[in-house]
Amino acid sequence: MSLVKLSIKGISYSQTQNGAYALILNEVDGERKLPIVIGAFEAQSIAIALEKEIKPPRPLTHDLFKNFAERFDIIVKQVIIHKLVDGVFYSSIICERDKIEEIIDARTSDAIALALRFNAPIFTYKNILDKAGIYLKTNPQEGDNDSNEIDDILSNPETFGNEEDENQLAERPFLKHSIQELNEILAIAVSDEDYEKAAKIRDEISKRES
């Protein structure tokens, strides 16, 4: 079976499962997206790895794993999403130490969080992408709920938190703060290890600077 390389498109709050997030993987040499539902902790860890400007004062679990692996000369070479059963993705971490390769079973969210920290590529098999991959419609038909939901997830990558209202203030709770205030709040959030809040603030700052 042929492998397909994936990149991370972004993370969005899941519209279908409370307290869960949708990690969106993108086919590198194609147009399909692979959405994977993950938990809040894993979403936070992946977001921090993606957001280079947020530095936790103490190592998170995946950071600890990376430090441990590096101390003992273990390298994560790649991650493979190798199985899909009843909507659950199964992954393997391919590691190497002293030129000996080992395969470690892992939850997909953990595997991807580690792949980011080791700059390791992420792959899946073509048959999994054929089964679970989705295409975005350029001009979705009005009333097409499935397409609208997909567009909603993918159009707001790397956003975090409950969508209590649909108005602008609910989507951007820090809209009224100045850039200086945002940077001050960001520093406090990182110091308090409130990375979900920090990610929201960083996202708002990025929108202002873009």
Side-chain angles (χ1 to χ4, degrees), residues 41-102:
F41 171 78
E42 292 77 16
Q44 172 182 287
S45 182
I46 291 171
I48 289 172
L50 289 170
E51 183 57 75
K52 305 299 183 182
E53 295 184 33
I54 297 179
K55 302 294 183 184
R58 301 292 296 157
L60 300 179
T61 302
H62 296 111
D63 297 317
L64 176 61
F65 184 97
K66 180 176 185 290
N67 294 339
F68 181 89
E70 289 181 337
R71 182 66 60 90
F72 291 95
D73 298 322
I74 300 170
I75 301 171
V76 173
K77 296 181 65 178
Q78 61 184 11
V79 162
I80 300 176
I81 303 171
H82 63 84
K83 186 168 64 173
L84 173 61
V85 179
D86 296 329
V88 178
F89 292 91
Y90 293 78
S91 294
S92 296
I93 301 173
I94 314 301
C95 302
E96 184 179 274
R97 181 173 184 266
D98 295 334
K99 298 183 179 181
I100 299 174
E101 192 172 274
E102 298 286 349

Side-chain angles (χ1 to χ4, degrees), residues 7-12 22-25 50 153-154 156-159:
S7 62
I8 296 178
K9 168 99 177 154
I11 304 173
S12 178
L23 170 66
I24 311 300
L25 301 176
L50 289 170
I153 291 175
L154 295 177
N156 295 292
E158 299 180 34
T159 58

Side-chain angles (χ1 to χ4, degrees), residues 96-112:
E96 184 179 274
R97 181 173 184 266
D98 295 334
K99 298 183 179 181
I100 299 174
E101 192 172 274
E102 298 286 349
I103 300 175
I104 300 175
D105 181 50
R107 295 187 306 170
T108 297
S109 54
D110 289 328
I112 291 174

